[in-house]
Amino acid sequence: MASVGKTALLVILTVGAVTGVVFYYLAAMFTPQPGVVVSLYRKDLPTTSEAQANKAAASPAIDESKFTNKVAITILKGASTQGNPSYDPDTSKASTDALVTWTNADVTIHTATSGSSLQDPNSGKLFDSNFLNPNQKYSVPASKISPGDHSYYCKIHPYMTGKITVG
């Protein structure tokens, strides 16, 4: 009877040791590692240089000296607070030979995006500044905006709205 007990003890110790080693390696495989994120939903942000290259490719630099007629629109400080004034002026007029420039004077990121809201199927089709950091500006020739009345808004703060008339 004693040999059966010793055998059972050795089997239990061996199974325990094997189970412990297997569990240790499996746990090590699934333990999160610093700087490594494995997720179906994760999309890495572009590096600063990639973001600048993408922005430069999306909106090539405009030679402002070629434009004698300029329309300046300022994104006002505090515009991200709903109810505060957003754009100055909030209604602008530009001739087709003008250069329209939005300047972000606020302390947070904004956009100037054509359309009335994110749900607008034509949102961003005429112009879209993408993210404007504080003190950054975005310019578009009015000739690239079709003549007529056009609403625009901030994609981050959709209650910020303005209007530009080209013609």
Side-chain angles (χ1 to χ4, degrees), residues 40-51:
L40 297 173
Y41 307 104
R42 180 181 172 92
K43 182 177 178 186
D44 289 330
L45 295 173
T47 63
T48 304
S49 59
E50 288 172 342

Side-chain angles (χ1 to χ4, degrees), residues 5-6 30-31 36 49 66 71 74 76 89 101 105 111-112 117 125-126 143 152:
K6 286 182 184 178
F30 294 106
T31 301
V36 178
S49 59
K66 293 183 179 180
V71 175
T74 304
L76 298 170
T101 301
T111 72
S117 69
K125 293 203 174 166
L126 293 176
S143 60
Y152 60 90

Side-chain angles (χ1 to χ4, degrees), residues 63-123:
D63 184 3
E64 293 184 23
S65 66
K66 293 183 179 180
F67 295 89
T68 55
N69 188 0
K70 297 178 183 177
V71 175
I73 302 169
T74 304
I75 299 171
L76 298 170
K77 190 169 187 173
S80 61
T81 303
Q82 194 166 3
N84 281 356
S86 304
Y87 300 99
D88 183 35
D90 59 353
T91 301
S92 304
K93 291 185 180 184
S95 59
T96 55
D97 65 338
L99 179 67
V100 182
T101 301
W102 285 266
T103 303
N104 184 2
D106 200 0
V107 295
T108 190
I109 298 171
H110 292 287
T111 72
T113 306
S114 64
S116 58
S117 69
L118 288 168
Q119 291 76 28
D120 185 344
N122 294 317
S123 176

